[in-house]
């Protein structure tokens, strides 16, 4: 066994004064971080946490979060992220399913959810007691357990070992020139990419720049952070990269960037992304692929000849000590350029699931006896050896980089007392992003006039208590019944398409009253793909999201001279409000121009009077 955190402690001894973590302009050295790790590790040890114990991690994005992960790994234990944004019911399920007895948290976040579970002990990172003894580095088996969406209706925990992660981090270092440079820590700790960000940086003497939750959701501020902190490497989902690329067209270009790594969902090279990299000649774009059960298994680099980059880049070739196979339904390898299902083998494999589901994805090949992971992803092996993603075999989708099993959402929705049955489907927005649509059949006694509702408060409030925000549908459609196949299953192909009709928001349609509101209305109709919108309609209730906001912002900036920001659009989410904001900004700009003109005119008149006096009597 090994411990993937070992390199960090070697660097903390060899380069103690080098900056390890930056947060809000506060710089923490390797020595200071290692000291903080020892305090927490001793506290964990004193609480009775031993080698191979699983420890819950319930902390906001902070230096203490990084220190706690290192402390848990140092004593040979494994961490289980309990994202602070998760609904309490999801956290409760993870605690019970994983059998966790210890949770590291912050006193300011303490919830009675922890006190309600028998035998659960809370350990606080912000205790006053800083007394500690130096703890020894112990070997570990399981580094973390991350819970992802499950087709059974409940999230499932994936146990990832030190050996697989050490292989990934070693490969990452060999294929990167930025390991000892400055990396942005963007991903939430419940997303496996966060491990890659943290350890591919701190294991090789790099600097990790943390960004607060509010900042990472605001692409304008995120871009400014990348520029001000001179970030050299970022790991981003496609959505976030697209937002930054769109905004940088009107803002500064982050010339410090040398590596941009996209993972979590299919990469698309849009015109904005192409322009972004044309302005960054020394930066390469890397497409990485891998399910949570294996982390990264393939990679594809895009460097020169940007104009020749494919719109949908391949997912690449396998990393070191990883094998990939493209099989048919009978586990026979398919020919090159034929579509088959991707199977993965090698050092990358997770140990398995907590309380394995009946249909586990980990199998043993009947002929070769190799342990493999059956991904459910369809791929094509190209003539140059690269793999090309070709979709899914099942109903799993990616939303904002997260894996979502629509069966889990359906199972949660079915718990609503007024629902008879439901089905979840997926539609593409104007940018090609997946959006979830919920089709609902209410019980006879609850049935009202059939209508399409988008982000209806009743359903959204119900789901927010049970699943993360990224799993909540953007659209809710009431139907008298669900279409079925001959075998009695839901016929998803026959579910009605969402028309471009404005949904029933229980709000009166108020038409634009002037030219500015008319122009904004036209932009909204184009972005949201609707036939009409009212000036008091909420952009997000109409199906808008953060990526569409960024797209809408660019159209507004091209139409109006006002310097509107992403923050403005979130703060003023109706046409009436954003129109008033634009008018105020224009009036302010006009008044400045008038004052400037008046000053110039006054100076000109003064000069005329002086000249008149000089010439008087001549």
């Amino acid at each position: 066994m090994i411990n993937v955190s070992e390199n960090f402690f070697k660097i903390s001894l060899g380069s103690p004064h080098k900056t390890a973590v930056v947060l809000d302009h506060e710089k923490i050295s390797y020595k200071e971080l290692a000291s903080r790790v020892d305090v927490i590790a001793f506290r964990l040890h004193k609480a009775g946490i031993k080698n191979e114990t699983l420890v819950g991690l319930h902390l906001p994005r902070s230096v203490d979060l990084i220190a706690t992960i290192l402390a848990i790994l140092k004593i040979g234990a494994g961490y289980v992220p309990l994202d602070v944004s998760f609904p309490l019911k999801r956290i409760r399920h993870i605690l019970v399913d994983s059998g966790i007895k210890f949770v590291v948290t912050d006193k300011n976040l303490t919830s009675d959810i922890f006190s309600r579970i028998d035998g659960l002990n809370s350990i606080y990172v912000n205790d006053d007691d800083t007394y500690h003894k130096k703890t020894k580095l112990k070997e570990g088996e399981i580094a973390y357990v991350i819970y992802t969406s499950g087709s059974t209706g409940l999230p499932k925990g994936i146990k990832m070992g030190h050996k697989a992660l050490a292989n990934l981090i070693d490969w990452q270092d060999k294929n990167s020139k930025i390991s000892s440079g400055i990396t942005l820590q963007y991903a939430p700790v419940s997303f496996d990419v966060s491990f890659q960000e943290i350890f591919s940086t701190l294991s090789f003497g790099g600097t990790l720049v943390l960004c607060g939750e509010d900042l990472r959701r605001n692409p304008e501020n995120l871009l400014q952070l990348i520029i001000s902190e001179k970030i050299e490497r970022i790991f981003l989902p496609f959505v976030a990269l697209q937002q930054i690329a769109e905004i940088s067209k009107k803002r500064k270009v982050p010339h410090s960037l040398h590596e941009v790594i996209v993972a979590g969902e299919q990469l698309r090279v849009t015109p904005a992304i192409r322009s972004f990299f044309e302005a960054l000649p020394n930066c390469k774009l890397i497409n990485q692929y891998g399910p949570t059960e294996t982390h990264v298994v393939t990679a594809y680099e895009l460097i020169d000849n940007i104009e020749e980059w494919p719109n949908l880049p391949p997912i690449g070739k396998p990393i070191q000590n990883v094998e990939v196979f493209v099989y048919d339904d009978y586990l026979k390898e398919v020919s090159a350029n034929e579509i088959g299902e991707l199977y993965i083998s090698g050092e990358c494999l997770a140990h398995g699931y907590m309380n394995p589901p009946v249909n586990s994805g980990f199998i043993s090949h009947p002929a070769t006896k190799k342990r493999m992971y059956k991904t459910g992803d369809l791929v094509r092996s190209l003539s140059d050896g690269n793999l090309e993603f070709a979709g899914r075999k099942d109903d799993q989708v990616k939303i904002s980089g997260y894996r979502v099993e629509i069966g889990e959402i359906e199972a949660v929705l079915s718990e609503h007392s007024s629902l008879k049955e439901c089905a979840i489907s997926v539609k593409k927005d104007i940018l090609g992003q997946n959006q979830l649509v919920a089709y609902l059949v209410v019980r006879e006694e609850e049935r009202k006039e059939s209508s399409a509702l988008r982000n209806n408060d009743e359903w959204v409030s119900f789901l927010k208590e049970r699943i993360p925000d990224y799993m909540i549908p953007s659209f809710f459609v009431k139907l008298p019944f669900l279409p079925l196949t001959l075998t009695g299953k839901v016929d998803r192909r026959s579910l009605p398409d969402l028309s471009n009709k404005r949904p029933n928001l229980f709000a009166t349609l108020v038409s634009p009253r002037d030219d500015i509101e008319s122009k904004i209305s036209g932009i909204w109709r184009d972005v949201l793909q609707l036939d009409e919108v009212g000036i008091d309609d909420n952009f997000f209730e109409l199906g808008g999201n953060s990526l569409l906001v960024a797209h809408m912002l660019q159209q507004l900036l091209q139409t109006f001279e006002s310097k509107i920001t992403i923050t403005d659009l979130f703060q003023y989410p109706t046409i009436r409000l954003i129109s008033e904001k634009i008018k105020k900004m224009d009036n302010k700009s006009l008044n400045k121009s008038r004052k400037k003109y008046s000053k110039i005119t006054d100076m000109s008149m003064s000069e005329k009077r002086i000249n008149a006096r000089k010439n008087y009597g001549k």
Side-chain angles (χ1 to χ4, degrees):
M1 291 191 293
I2 58 175
N3 192 314
V4 77
S5 66
E6 183 177 0
N7 275 0
F8 163 77
F9 297 104
K10 289 180 179 178
I11 291 169
S12 66
L13 293 173
S15 304
H17 302 298
K18 189 167 185 180
T19 300
V21 177
V22 175
L23 176 63
D24 296 332
H25 305 295
E26 179 186 4
K27 296 182 178 181
I28 309 297
S29 70
Y30 272 82
K31 181 180 180 181
E32 291 168 328
L33 181 58
S35 177
R36 183 66 184 143
V37 169
D38 275 331
V39 170
I40 298 172
F42 180 70
R43 200 172 292 163
L44 299 176
H45 178 74
K46 199 165 69 167
I49 297 174
K50 299 178 181 178
N51 200 1
E52 301 308 321
T53 305
L54 291 180
V55 182
L57 188 63
H58 185 71
L59 291 169
R61 193 180 294 263
S62 60
V63 174
D64 276 339
L65 174 66
I66 305 300
T68 302
I69 290 174
L70 286 162
I72 291 171
L73 296 180
K74 183 175 185 180
I75 63 174
Y79 67 93
V80 183
L82 304 169
D83 199 302
V84 295
S85 69
F86 280 174
L88 296 184
K89 288 192 176 182
R90 191 177 186 85
I91 291 177
R92 190 178 291 117
H93 166 76
I94 294 174
L95 290 172
V96 173
D97 186 70
S98 61
I100 289 171
K101 300 301 180 187
F102 301 92
V103 174
V104 181
T105 185
D106 186 303
K107 287 180 179 178
N108 300 321
L109 291 175
T110 304
S111 167
D112 60 358
I113 181 178
F114 299 133
S115 63
R116 291 179 186 175
I117 299 180
D118 293 337
L120 188 65
N121 301 288
S122 295
I123 301 168
Y124 301 108
V125 292
N126 50 344
D127 262 344
D128 296 331
D129 177 24
T130 58
Y131 168 75
H132 72 280
K133 293 180 181 178
K134 202 171 184 72
T135 54
K136 291 183 179 180
L137 183 75
K138 295 183 178 179
E139 292 184 335
E141 187 71 32
I142 304 299
Y144 62 67
V145 177
I146 284 181
Y147 277 75
T148 66
S149 184
S151 57
T152 60
L154 293 170
K156 55 187 178 184
I158 298 161
K159 300 183 290 186
M160 184 58 73
H162 282 262
K163 185 178 180 181
L165 294 170
N167 180 67
L168 167 61
I169 298 305
D170 180 61
W171 169 84
Q172 183 76 54
D173 177 56
K174 290 175 181 175
N175 290 271
S176 172
K177 296 178 181 178
I178 318 298
S179 296
S180 59
I182 304 172
T183 297
L184 179 71
Q185 205 283 294
Y186 174 88
V189 72
S190 57
F191 195 20
D192 56 8
V193 175
S194 63
F195 185 95
Q196 197 177 358
E197 291 171 330
I198 295 167
F199 285 89
S200 67
T201 304
L202 297 182
S203 296
F204 303 100
T207 298
L208 194 67
V209 177
L210 309 186
C211 61
E213 200 60 33
D214 290 340
L215 190 148
R216 69 183 290 273
R217 294 178 184 274
N218 186 320
E220 285 182 328
N221 293 343
L222 184 62
L223 178 60
Q224 185 54 47
L225 177 73
I226 293 170
I227 293 170
S228 62
E229 294 295 339
K230 296 181 173 58
I231 302 295
E232 297 172 275
R233 178 174 63 183
I234 52 176
F235 295 77
L236 293 176
F238 162 73
V239 171
L241 175 59
Q242 173 69 13
Q243 288 176 333
I244 288 176
E246 286 277 3
I247 289 169
S248 71
K249 289 193 289 188
K250 293 287 182 178
R251 303 289 190 271
K252 294 181 180 178
V253 175
H255 291 290
S256 59
L257 279 179
H258 290 289
E259 285 183 4
V260 176
I261 298 161
V262 175
E265 58 188 320
Q266 188 172 19
L267 170 63
R268 297 200 308 279
V269 179
T270 64
I273 288 176
R274 217 177 284 275
S275 298
F276 182 72
F277 282 92
E278 283 172 351
L280 297 171
N282 297 318
C283 184
K284 61 182 178 180
L285 175 60
I286 304 164
N287 191 24
Q288 292 187 355
Y289 162 87
T292 309
E293 285 84 351
T294 62
H295 213 322
V296 177
V297 291
T298 65
Y300 182 83
E301 284 192 11
L302 296 102
I303 37 179
D304 301 325
N305 302 320
I306 295 173
E307 65 280 358
E308 296 178 9
W309 287 2
N311 292 335
L312 292 173
I315 58 174
K317 298 177 181 179
I319 70 168
Q320 65 183 29
N321 301 315
V322 170
E323 290 183 287
V324 295
F325 307 94
V326 185
Y327 289 149
D328 62 17
D329 292 340
Y330 304 98
L331 291 181
K332 300 294 184 183
E333 204 155 0
V334 302
S335 303
N337 291 313
E338 286 187 14
I339 292 178
E341 185 175 357
L342 179 62
Y343 287 74
I344 302 168
S345 184
E347 287 190 13
C348 60
L349 296 185
H351 285 246
Y353 298 105
M354 299 293 298
N355 305 312
V358 176
N359 298 318
S360 173
F362 295 97
I363 66 168
S364 176
H365 193 287
T368 65
K369 304 304 178 186
K370 280 186 177 179
R371 183 171 180 260
M372 301 188 299
Y373 176 64
K374 182 183 189 309
T375 67
D377 285 333
L378 298 174
V379 298
R380 177 189 287 108
S381 181
L382 303 177
S383 56
D384 60 2
N386 284 298
L387 294 176
E388 180 181 78
F389 183 76
R392 289 286 303 174
K393 285 192 72 173
D394 55 21
D395 297 326
Q396 186 189 109
V397 296
K398 285 292 184 76
I399 304 290
S400 299
Y402 290 94
R403 184 167 81 189
V404 173
E405 296 278 2
I406 62 176
E408 181 178 354
I409 307 172
E410 291 174 342
V412 172
L413 258 179
S414 298
E415 296 173 7
H416 196 288
S417 59
S418 69
L419 268 189
K420 183 179 179 181
E421 52 187 345
C422 66
I424 302 294
S425 185
V426 178
K427 75 178 285 286
K428 300 282 188 182
D429 64 22
I430 192 174
L431 300 176
Q433 286 296 290
N434 287 330
Q435 288 187 306
L436 296 171
V437 183
Y439 293 89
L440 314 174
V441 179
V442 298
R443 299 188 183 281
E444 194 68 37
E445 60 272 20
E446 300 282 344
R447 190 167 296 171
K448 298 177 182 178
E449 183 181 350
S450 178
S451 60
L453 305 177
R454 304 189 182 196
N455 279 6
N456 177 264
D457 286 345
E458 177 188 1
W459 308 112
V460 172
S461 298
F462 177 80
L463 291 172
K464 271 184 175 291
E465 296 176 359
R466 293 161 173 79
I467 56 178
D469 286 348
Y470 64 84
M471 293 177 67
I472 296 175
S474 300
F475 307 91
F476 295 84
V477 180
K478 284 186 180 179
L479 296 176
F481 58 86
L482 294 179
L484 302 177
T485 64
L486 291 175
T487 58
K489 296 180 180 180
V490 175
D491 186 357
R492 299 185 190 278
R493 292 183 179 180
S494 297
L495 288 168
D497 289 333
L498 288 177
S499 69
N500 66 342
K501 293 289 184 183
R502 173 181 176 267
N504 179 2
L505 299 175
F506 299 107
T508 304
L509 177 67
V510 181
S511 300
R513 302 163 300 173
D514 56 37
D515 185 53
I516 290 180
E517 289 181 352
S518 294
K519 287 179 179 177
I520 299 173
S521 175
I523 292 171
W524 279 35
R525 292 197 306 272
D526 176 54
V527 171
L528 295 170
Q529 298 176 297
L530 295 175
D531 62 342
E532 57 183 356
V533 293
I535 64 171
D536 293 318
D537 293 347
N538 187 298
F539 182 80
F540 301 99
E541 291 178 359
L542 291 170
N545 54 43
S546 58
L547 185 56
L548 290 176
V549 166
H551 185 62
M552 191 243 293
L553 174 65
Q554 295 312 309
Q555 294 200 35
L556 288 174
L557 291 174
Q558 290 170 12
T559 305
F560 303 102
E561 293 184 1
S562 307
K563 293 184 179 179
I564 313 163
T565 66
I566 284 280
T567 304
D568 291 331
L569 297 180
F570 280 101
Q571 191 173 353
Y572 309 107
T574 68
I575 292 173
R576 185 192 295 270
L577 293 175
I578 197 63
S579 172
E580 290 172 357
K581 174 71 175 176
I582 289 171
K583 289 169 185 174
K584 286 179 182 177
M585 295 174 79
D586 285 348
N587 287 335
K588 191 174 180 181
S589 178
L590 182 61
N591 288 335
K592 280 185 178 179
S593 297
R594 283 173 177 167
K595 287 180 181 178
K596 186 176 181 181
Y597 176 76
S598 176
K599 189 175 180 182
I600 292 170
T601 304
D602 290 344
M603 288 175 62
S604 179
M605 291 299 294
S606 297
E607 289 172 358
K608 286 179 179 178
R609 291 190 188 101
I610 291 170
N611 290 333
R613 290 192 189 103
K614 286 180 178 178
N615 295 326
Y616 181 74
K618 286 188 179 179

